[in-house]
């Protein structure tokens, strides 16, 4: 059934993956205080996380935060992983919110974002991209969802040097992971009244790997006759998205393509600073995050825009079925942006992060 259109961002009614994940049911009621893991992140992470906490408090959201650090630790065999306290916190709480994390570029560095996805088996990344009323971009009425396989493909991290000057990267694709993300995408479409699913691939070139992904999408599509389905080459999708994004509804794709396309879609609606994101795993585990960078050049200057982390928090609230609180915060965010009076520099204003948060709080009350 179609959810109300006002619910712009969020998985809503965590029914979505109860169906997929062993009938997992919410174990809390909206009156109970739900404990959530908070990874503040690097750079501007602390100040945008503080803004979110302040706004949640003003909206009387019944949650308690458990802040944890993800400063990487080395294992006995020399690999980098996240601290045990993060793993224990997520195992206890199941649901978390994450600010931006810095990844060093170069030999021996490992992406902490990738590590978190692997450790918690966060197999699907969900990114809603929708135009915000009152915030002008070259495109109006964008309304699409990207769902990205989150654990394998070119991002499996399997690379080696064949001989001096020749390196090789392995693209790992498994039937299990492809079926899982395809199932999730079609069930999401079914639950949220999405009319069409498009599988994005390059099976004409990568016949085995992308061919397997496409085959799994085709198989799942057979079971969802109420949803229109097609598949399209990645390059053609990029072309058509820039020409007219309204022709797409829900896009499902392997890892690397999803990384690129979801950012392209964010650009259609104003950038990563306005785009929420959620990562869905097994056994009810979910981690919601801001996907923009750490912006070290403005860290600590009270200039950062907390919208992406805040809207990711709205997705998280819908996931744990605090729909009224989610709606209250979302409405206040969109009102603040559309009024264009107290907004941060990246949105065309001159307000500080703290002033923008205070304006959202005024619009909540």
């Amino acid at each position: 059934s179609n959810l109300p259109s006002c619910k712009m961002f969020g998985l809503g009614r965590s029914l979505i993956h109860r169906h997929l994940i062993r009938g997992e049911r919410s174990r809390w009621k909206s009156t109970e205080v739900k404990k959530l893991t908070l990874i503040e992140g690097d750079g501007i992470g602390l100040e945008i996380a503080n803004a979110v906490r302040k706004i949640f408090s003003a909206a009387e959201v019944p949650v308690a935060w458990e802040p944890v650090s993800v400063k990487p630790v080395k294992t006995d065999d020399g690999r980098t992983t996240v601290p045990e306290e993060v793993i224990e916190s997520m195992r206890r709480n199941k649901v978390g919110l994450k600010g931006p994390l810095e990844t060093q570029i170069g030999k021996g560095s490992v992406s902490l974002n990738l590590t978190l996805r692997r450790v918690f088996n966060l197999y699907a990344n969900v990114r809603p991209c929708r135009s915000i009323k009152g915030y002008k971009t070259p495109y109006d009425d964008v309304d699409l969802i990207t769902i990205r396989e989150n654990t394998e493909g070119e991002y499996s991290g399997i690379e080696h040097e064949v001989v001096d000057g020749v390196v090789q990267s392995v693209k790992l694709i498994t039937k299990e992971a492809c079926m899982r993300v395809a199932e999730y995408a079609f069930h999401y479409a079914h639950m949220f009244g999405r009319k069409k699913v498009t599988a994005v691939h390059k099976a004409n070139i990568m016949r085995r790997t992308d061919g397997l992904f496409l085959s799994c999408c085709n198989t799942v599509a057979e079971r969802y006759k109420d949803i229109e389905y097609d598949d399209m080459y990645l390059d053609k999708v990029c072309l058509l998205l820039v020409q007219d994004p309204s022709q797409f509804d829900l896009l499902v794709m392997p890892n690397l393509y999803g990384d690129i396309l979801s950012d392209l879609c964010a650009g259609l609606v104003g950038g990563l600073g306005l785009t929420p994101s959620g990562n869905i795993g097994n056994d009810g585990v979910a981690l919601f995050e801001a996907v923009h960078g750490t912006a070290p050049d403005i860290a600590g200057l009270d200039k950062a825009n907390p919208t992406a982390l805040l809207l990711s928090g709205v997705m998280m609230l819908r996931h744990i079925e605090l729909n009224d609180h989610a709606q209250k915060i979302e409405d206040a965010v969109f009102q603040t942006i559309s009024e264009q009076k107290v907004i941060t520099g990246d949105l065309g204003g001159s307000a500080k992060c703290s002033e923008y948060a205070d304006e959202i709080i005024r619009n909540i009350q």
Side-chain angles (χ1 to χ4, degrees):
S1 63
N2 224 341
L3 289 184
S5 58
C6 59
K7 290 193 173 175
M8 283 188 64
F9 295 119
L11 300 181
R13 309 180 191 174
S14 57
L15 290 170
I16 266 289
H17 70 208
R18 285 188 209 157
H19 166 84
L20 294 171
I21 303 162
R22 304 178 195 167
E24 179 80 10
R25 293 204 172 272
S26 284
R27 287 185 292 277
W28 57 88
K29 297 172 185 151
S30 61
T31 51
E32 295 173 5
V33 174
K34 167 68 180 156
K35 202 162 201 182
L36 300 169
T37 299
L38 178 64
I39 300 169
E40 291 167 341
D42 302 316
I44 58 172
L46 176 62
E47 54 210 274
I48 62 174
N50 284 341
V52 169
R53 292 172 77 162
K54 192 173 172 185
I55 291 163
F56 272 44
S57 176
E60 299 179 341
V61 181
V63 298
W65 300 102
E66 187 176 285
V68 290
S69 165
V70 290
K71 190 173 180 183
V73 293
K74 282 268 174 74
T75 58
D76 293 339
D77 59 3
R79 290 183 303 119
T80 307
T81 187
V82 295
E84 191 62 32
E85 66 162 325
V86 178
I87 296 168
E88 289 304 315
S89 176
M90 282 296 290
R91 280 190 183 137
R92 273 194 308 273
N93 302 330
K94 298 279 195 184
V95 179
L97 185 66
K98 182 183 80 64
L101 294 176
E102 183 183 1
T103 298
Q104 300 292 334
I105 297 172
K107 195 171 181 183
S109 298
V110 64
S111 165
L112 284 175
N113 291 313
L114 279 179
T115 305
L116 286 167
R117 284 174 210 148
R118 282 206 201 105
V119 167
F120 301 116
N121 203 11
L122 301 169
Y123 66 86
N125 174 261
V126 183
R127 200 106 60 95
C129 282
R130 297 187 177 120
S131 300
I132 295 178
K133 188 179 177 186
Y135 184 70
K136 190 68 186 147
T137 69
Y139 300 88
D140 296 318
D141 303 321
V142 177
D143 180 7
L144 59 90
I145 306 286
T146 60
I147 294 184
R148 156 192 177 188
E149 201 293 314
N150 223 8
T151 62
E152 54 179 33
E154 292 88 346
Y155 287 6
S156 301
I158 308 169
E159 292 187 314
H160 58 272
E161 189 170 44
V162 182
V163 294
D164 189 35
V166 180
V167 293
Q168 190 174 52
S169 178
V170 177
K171 175 171 176 168
L172 180 73
I173 297 277
T174 64
K175 183 176 181 181
E176 180 188 8
C178 293
M179 288 297 289
R180 191 169 55 182
V181 77
E183 277 279 4
Y184 186 83
F186 276 91
H187 191 69
Y188 186 105
H190 178 73
M191 285 292 300
F192 287 90
R194 293 276 164 179
K195 301 290 187 283
K196 182 180 177 183
V197 171
T198 302
V200 184
H201 63 94
K202 285 294 288 183
N204 56 326
I205 305 296
M206 285 166 274
R207 296 178 187 278
R208 290 289 184 92
T209 49
D210 283 21
L212 176 58
F213 175 80
L214 180 58
S215 168
C216 291
C217 289
N218 293 344
T219 299
V220 175
E222 284 295 313
R223 300 204 299 271
Y224 287 87
K225 298 295 189 186
D226 58 323
I227 296 167
E228 188 184 341
Y229 168 69
D230 67 354
D231 68 271
M232 197 175 289
Y233 296 146
L234 170 68
D235 41 347
K236 187 177 180 183
V237 172
C238 291
L239 172 70
L240 296 179
L241 267 173
V242 173
Q243 288 179 336
D244 178 16
S246 69
Q247 61 196 295
F248 294 105
D249 194 352
L250 187 152
L251 302 165
V252 61
M253 65 219 91
N255 204 338
L256 173 65
Y257 310 157
D259 191 9
I260 296 165
L261 270 187
S262 58
D263 276 16
L264 189 157
C265 291
L268 303 176
V269 297
L272 294 176
L274 295 172
T275 309
S277 177
N279 300 286
I280 307 305
N282 289 327
D283 303 320
V285 173
L287 185 62
F288 298 85
E289 62 178 346
V291 289
H292 55 66
T294 57
D297 54 319
I298 60 166
L301 300 180
D302 199 19
K303 290 182 177 179
N305 176 3
T307 305
L309 190 63
L310 187 55
L311 291 177
S312 298
V314 166
M315 280 181 84
M316 178 184 69
L317 292 181
R318 293 216 167 97
H319 175 78
I320 61 175
E321 301 187 354
L322 293 175
N323 294 315
D324 291 344
H325 294 89
Q327 194 64 52
K328 189 192 297 186
I329 293 169
E330 185 183 84
D331 288 346
V333 173
F334 293 147
Q335 182 184 340
T336 304
I337 294 172
S338 66
E339 285 172 353
Q340 297 277 297
K341 288 189 296 196
V342 187
I343 51 175
T344 52
D346 60 314
L347 298 177
S350 58
K352 293 179 177 177
C353 175
S354 53
E355 292 168 342
Y356 175 66
D358 288 341
E359 184 69 11
I360 290 170
I361 288 167
R362 268 192 289 276
N363 285 327
I364 286 172
Q365 293 160 345

